[in-house]
Structure formats: C-alpha cells, structure tokens
C-alpha cells in the first residue's frame, strides 16, 4: 500500500537539501562498477580504538551491574573523569555534579540542545560553513537561522562586528567551532574573549564545539571557551571521543559548562533516552586517562598526512596553507567550477571522494573538504590519479 498520504512533519521540510545523498548514490554506483574508491569524504577516523579502551570495555561488559539502565546523568566515575581531564588539560575547574553531562555522541547533544532552547522563530547565529548539526538542529527546532558568513580573508573567523545590532539583540544562541570543521581554521584566545564579551552584552547562549581540540600540531594549543573568565555564566562546550580516540562508532560525547543550560538539555534527554550504556562510559573514562604519549601518536599521524597532502596538492597547483589542527584540509575548487560539480568530477574521473563545501552551508561554496583518513600511500595514489586525469588547479583555470 502506498503511504504518500502520510506526510512527514513540517519540521522535516525545513531542512536544507542533503548534499551527501547524491554523493552516496554515486559512490554506490562506482563501487558496483568495481572502481577502487579512495574515500576521503567523511570525518571517520581510520585507526583502531586504543587497546586499553577496548580492554576496559570488555571487562566492564562482563559485569552484570552494567547491564541495567544507566543513570540519566551519567556514571559518577565518567563525570569525574571528564572534570579531572578539564582541570588537567585546561586548568578549568568544573563540578562533576551538574557541570558535565555524557552524551550519545556529541551530535546528539548539539542537536538536542536546540530542541531544549530554541522556540519557533528564535534567532540562532550559525557560521556558514559549519558542521551541519549546528544548523540542522536549530532548523528542526523551528529556529530562524542567521548565517554568519565566514571568509578566507578573515581566516575563517566569525566577524562579530558584521552582525547587525538588531540581529544580535534578537539572537538567542550562537553555535561556533574552533578548531573548525570544515575549514580547519583555529581561533586565537582574543577571539574567544571577544565572543564571550559579545554574548554577555547581548545575552546570547554560547555553544562551542571543541571536537578537534586534541588534533593540534606544531605545538599549537587550542583554547577552551571555559578558560575565558565569565564564559561559564553563558556557555557550554561540547566534546567527542570519536576523533581523538578513534571511537566514532562507540557514540560517546559530553558537554560541560553552565549548570542551568546543561540542566535544560538533561531534562529534555530524560524524556528521549536512557543515557549512555555504562560499559561505554567506563571505556571513555579510560580513554580520558590515557597517557599523553597516545595523544602525540595520533597528532603525529594526522600531521604527517597533512604535510604529505599539502605538498602533493602543491605539485598540482594548489596553494593550501598549513593547518594547525583538525583532520581536514579545506581546499579551493579550481576557478570556474562549483563545489558539487568538482566533487562529482573528482569522484567520476579518479574514484577519490571528497566532500563538497556547500554541504556545510552556502559559505562553503567554492571549496571541498578532504579528510586525512587514509595512510600516505593511499593519499599518494589519490594524487597520482588526479595527475593522470589532468586535475590540476591551474590547468583547470586555463582550460
Ligand atoms: C565539529 C563536529 N562536532 C561534532 C561531531 C560529531 O561527533 P560525534 O561522533 O561525537 O557525534 C563532528 C563529527 O564529524 C564534528 O565534526
């Protein structure tokens, strides 16, 4: 029986079209044809979860005490591990009872935060380009998204001075993310100070997504929002175990910061889910306690790939500046071709999958994002195929 008379709720039609869907379709077709795809599209880390984390999970799994519903607010041990990690990493003191909340992956929390705080018509400030959950969550909640256009000449930082006074006055939430997905931009501490001052002046809830803070190179140390005096009065910061610890499939994240804001999210979540499997919380606790040598290895892996790919793209005419963090390169499309067409062309001609920049909002048009999720031999193969197919930044310009 056809069910086309059952239409989805209006909130679904508020969502911008999903650029990945067409790419996925073409990827599936290419695979069917036996093409050897080099998939640098998603931010899905390619390494295994650290062995001590896997072992902690296996041991926790054997304990029947972990088999029931977990506590809504997360286990006391994981919350303590989170706040200890914050103290160690950033010198920020947090109360594990109320200022830290485990999540079913940070995407879940980022999205649900807007369900907890955005009423239809509320203005939500979101950079463009941005990680899609930052605008799709508020869109589903019925928010009025005001895109903050990021520009290369401003190092992809939000230009607070460009936000009209009237918009700032009406805005309820600002989502932001440095080190950034997709631009790989980093923000100096002064930028965080300016954002906090702006948010306090206009009474805006600040949501900072710190997903890539551990994947930093060349001695660069990303700033936490919560290091800034006064930030905890108006803001929260989201983290994920997915990237740093190769735990994307485990679905563990957490949010820290303002108690009142976290309480709103928690209230919503008690109506939606039963919290995170205790076994996963034990595993995540172990990950946060791993010695720094683990972190250095991960950073070194991505740094090596970054250098390799920037050098190789340079030989094909691209001038990609060195990134100080994240697992991405943000690469301009050759002049005269848009993001989607370039990504599709690359896929069709070489089997190399990258993400069109416009998947991250209109501000990403003209760029593609390349994830550093393959070893250098595969990245080298991708570059070789591009060379063989004449995919060259400047050649494109003239031809
Ligand atoms: C900026 C940013 N935040 C959050 C996430 C989602 O992380 P999680 O796996 O914890 O849901 C991602 C994943 O790509 C991301 O890039």
């Amino acid at each position: 029986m056809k069910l086309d008379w059952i239409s989805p709720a209006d909130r679904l039609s508020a969502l911008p079209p999903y650029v990945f869907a067409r790419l996925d379709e073409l990827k599936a077709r290419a695979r069917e044809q036996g093409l050897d795809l080099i998939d640098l599209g998603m931010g899905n880390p390619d390494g295994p979860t650290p062995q001590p984390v896997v072992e902690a999970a296996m041991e926790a799994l054997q304990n029947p005490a972990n088999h029931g519903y977990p506590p809504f607010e997360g286990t006391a041990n994981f919350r303590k591990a989170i706040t200890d990690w914050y103290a160690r990493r950033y010198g920020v003191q947090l109360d594990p009872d109320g200022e830290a909340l485990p999540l079913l992956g940070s995407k879940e929390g980022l999205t649900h935060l807007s369900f907890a705080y955005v009423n239809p018509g509320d203005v939500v400030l979101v950079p463009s380009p941005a990680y899609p959950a930052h605008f799709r969550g508020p869109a589903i909640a019925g928010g009025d998204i005001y895109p903050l256009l990021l520009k290369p000449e401003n190092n992809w930082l939000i230009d607070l001075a460009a936000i009209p006074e009237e918009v700032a006055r009406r805005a309820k939430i600002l989502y932001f993310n440095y080190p950034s997905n997709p631009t790989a931009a980093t923000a100096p501490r002064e930028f965080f100070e300016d954002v906090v001052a702006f948010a306090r002046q206009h009474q805006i809830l600040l949501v900072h997504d710190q997903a890539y803070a551990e994947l930093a190179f060349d001695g660069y140390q990303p700033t936490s929002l919560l290091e800034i005096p006064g930030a905890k009065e108006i803001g929260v910061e989201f983290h994920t175990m997915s990237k740093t610890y190769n735990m994307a499939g485990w679905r563990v994240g957490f949010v820290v910061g303002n108690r009142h804001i976290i309480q709103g999210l928690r209230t919503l979540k008690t109506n939606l889910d039963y919290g995170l499997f205790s076994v996963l919380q034990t595993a995540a606790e172990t990950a946060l306690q791993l010695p720094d040598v683990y972190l250095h290895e991960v950073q070194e892996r991505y740094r090596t790939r970054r250098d390799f790919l920037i050098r190789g793209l340079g030989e094909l005419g691209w001038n990609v500046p060195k990134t100080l963090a994240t697992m991405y390169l943000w690469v301009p499309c050759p002049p005269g071709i848009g993001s989607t067409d370039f990504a599709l062309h690359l896929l069709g001609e070489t089997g190399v999958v990258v993400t069109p920049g416009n998947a991250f909002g209109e501000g990403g048009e003209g760029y593609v994002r390349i994830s550093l999720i393959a070893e250098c031999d595969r990245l080298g193969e991708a570059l070789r195929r591009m060379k063989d197919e004449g995919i060259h930044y400047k050649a494109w310009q003239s031809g």
Side-chain angles (χ1 to χ4, degrees):
M1 188 168 80
K2 273 177 82 182
L3 288 183
D4 46 7
W5 46 275
I6 304 182
S7 51
D10 291 345
R11 66 179 73 88
L12 281 194
S13 59
L15 290 172
Y18 194 64
V19 177
F20 291 97
R22 173 130 172 75
L23 206 59
D24 280 354
E25 204 182 288
L26 290 169
K27 264 166 52 177
R29 210 176 307 149
R31 278 206 182 92
E32 273 164 28
Q33 289 166 1
L35 202 66
D36 170 31
L37 290 187
I38 302 178
D39 194 344
L40 309 176
M42 280 185 76
N44 194 2
D46 56 316
T49 302
Q51 193 55 24
V53 176
V54 173
E55 279 164 19
M58 291 199 301
E59 195 184 326
L61 198 53
Q62 298 293 350
N63 182 355
N66 288 326
H67 297 176
Y69 288 118
F72 276 121
E73 69 280 10
T75 63
N77 285 350
F78 184 32
R79 283 184 282 111
K80 172 91 169 39
I82 293 168
T83 54
D84 284 353
W85 182 80
Y86 245 85
R88 208 164 64 239
R89 180 76 175 76
Y90 295 112
V92 169
Q93 302 302 324
L94 293 163
D95 181 356
D97 295 324
E99 293 183 341
L101 180 69
L103 302 168
L104 314 178
S106 63
K107 181 179 184 183
E108 176 266 305
L110 285 159
T111 306
H112 282 148
L113 186 92
S114 51
F115 294 9
Y117 285 97
V118 176
N119 283 316
D122 280 347
V123 173
V124 182
L125 306 177
V126 188
S128 178
Y131 173 60
H134 297 173
F135 52 87
R136 287 176 183 265
I140 299 170
D144 190 356
I145 290 152
Y146 185 88
L148 308 173
L149 196 64
L150 306 181
K151 299 186 183 145
E153 57 270 28
N154 203 21
N155 296 324
W156 304 101
L157 288 179
I158 298 167
D159 183 359
L160 295 168
I163 302 172
E165 181 65 27
E166 163 67 8
V167 173
R169 214 171 34 74
R170 288 182 51 222
K172 183 159 184 189
I173 304 186
L174 164 59
Y175 276 82
F176 71 120
N177 159 233
Y178 292 103
S180 154
N181 174 17
T183 66
T186 52
R189 188 184 165 93
E190 301 79 65
F191 172 82
F192 281 86
E193 288 166 354
D194 291 348
V195 174
V196 170
F198 172 84
R200 287 170 66 97
Q201 182 192 347
H202 297 288
Q203 300 189 322
I204 295 171
L205 190 173
L206 279 184
V207 180
H208 185 236
D209 184 344
Q210 183 83 327
Y212 298 95
E214 302 303 287
L215 303 183
F217 325 115
D218 306 340
Y220 172 67
Q221 285 276 341
T223 304
S224 160
L225 171 67
L226 300 179
E227 283 177 54
I228 309 299
K232 203 166 77 174
E233 287 161 32
I234 46 154
V236 287
E237 190 157 73
F238 283 80
H239 280 263
T240 174
M241 308 302 290
S242 299
K243 315 291 177 173
T244 317
Y245 302 103
N246 294 334
M247 292 175 71
W250 298 58
R251 313 307 306 130
V252 188
F254 57 89
V255 58
V256 289
N258 185 274
R259 177 185 298 280
H260 169 78
I261 301 169
I262 289 177
Q263 181 57 44
L265 176 59
R266 190 185 149 194
T267 302
L268 177 78
K269 277 170 61 59
T270 52
N271 291 282
L272 293 176
D273 65 60
Y274 275 111
L276 183 65
F277 186 24
S278 302
V279 166
L280 300 180
Q281 300 195 53
T282 305
E285 190 188 316
T286 307
L288 290 180
Q289 290 159 352
L290 285 173
D292 284 350
V293 59
Y294 166 76
L295 196 58
H296 298 151
E297 277 169 25
V298 176
Q299 291 167 339
E300 194 51 22
R301 188 158 71 232
Y302 286 114
R303 190 196 61 74
T304 308
R305 294 171 178 183
R306 172 201 70 174
D307 291 347
F308 182 86
L309 201 55
I310 288 180
R311 201 172 331 110
L313 286 170
E315 285 163 16
L316 294 175
W318 265 276
N319 179 13
V320 181
K322 246 187 193 169
T323 51
L324 286 178
T326 79
M327 52 195 292
Y328 306 113
L329 294 187
W330 184 236
V331 176
C333 301
I337 184 166
S339 296
T340 307
D341 285 345
F342 183 57
L344 294 179
H345 180 78
L346 206 55
L347 171 59
E349 298 299 311
T350 66
V352 175
V353 183
V354 299
T355 305
N358 55 6
F360 306 97
E362 280 175 25
E365 184 49 71
Y367 285 78
V368 291
R369 189 196 70 179
I370 307 183
S371 298
L372 302 169
I373 51 167
E375 297 293 4
C376 290
D377 60 338
R378 289 297 276 170
L379 297 178
E381 171 64 18
L383 291 164
R384 252 188 313 281
R385 292 185 195 174
M386 286 170 70
K387 188 168 177 219
D388 289 350
E389 295 304 325
I391 296 175
H392 187 286
Y393 184 73
K394 288 182 187 141
W396 200 289
Q397 203 167 15
S398 57

